[in-house]
Amino acid sequence: MAFSLGAVSNYAAIPSYGDLLAMAASLNPKVASLVSAGTTETLAGNQIAAGIFVRSGSAGAVAATTDTATNILSALGPNVSLGMTFMLIYVNLNTAAGVVTVSAGAGVTLSGTMTVPIAGLRVFIGTVTNVTTPAVTIQGAFQVGANVAA
């Protein structure tokens, strides 16, 4: 898909329907899901970069650790840059006492509330804070769901 509205080379050609469909499909987030009765998990870099993570299967509290900043930057792709932001929506479909608490992997700094409510979700905003020595800050932005105080 290569077009540019208003570019000198194509005199503002209208993109084809196929190009528009491909562009729209590329904007759709990918869902990374985990079904596990386990009480610990590591959020892999590619699961974080996917944008939506759905967790279910545990009746007990879950300790989730982010991958390393190096792996997160790698998963974000070759054009990662200082100040780049990304979003992760973490959906918690666990039952009973299945609250998820997120902790940081190497090179990752966490800010804000790091719990994900039962039968709810939390939106996390990540920022690339160093590319040379990989570093990422992930902030708990807000939650949807009333089982855990924000």
Side-chain angles (χ1 to χ4, degrees), residues 80-109:
V80 68
S81 60
L82 181 65
M84 178 180 177
T85 60
F86 56 93
M87 181 172 57
L88 170 64
I89 300 170
Y90 190 119
V91 180
N92 181 4
L93 300 178
N94 289 339
T95 59
V99 173
V100 176
T101 301
V102 179
S103 60
V108 177
T109 301

Side-chain angles (χ1 to χ4, degrees), residues 4-142:
S4 174
L5 294 177
V8 175
S9 62
N10 65 8
Y11 300 103
I14 303 297
S16 71
Y17 179 72
D19 283 346
L20 290 173
L21 281 179
M23 182 177 64
S26 72
L27 297 175
N28 290 334
K30 296 159 185 63
V31 176
S33 296
L34 174 67
V35 176
S36 171
T39 57
T40 62
E41 68 190 19
T42 298
L43 296 170
N46 62 342
Q47 292 171 319
I48 293 170
I52 299 177
F53 185 82
V54 180
R55 171 71 153 90
S56 66
S58 181
V62 176
T65 304
T66 70
D67 206 338
T68 65
T70 299
N71 290 341
I72 294 170
L73 294 187
S74 177
L76 289 172
N79 297 322
V80 68
S81 60
L82 181 65
M84 178 180 177
T85 60
F86 56 93
M87 181 172 57
L88 170 64
I89 300 170
Y90 190 119
V91 180
N92 181 4
L93 300 178
N94 289 339
T95 59
V99 173
V100 176
T101 301
V102 179
S103 60
V108 177
T109 301
L110 302 179
S111 171
T113 302
M114 290 293 126
T115 55
V116 184
I118 302 163
L121 63 85
R122 180 165 300 282
V123 174
F124 295 97
I125 305 297
T127 305
V128 176
T129 55
N130 196 325
V131 177
T132 309
T133 305
V136 172
T137 296
I138 297 177
Q139 180 171 346
F142 65 90

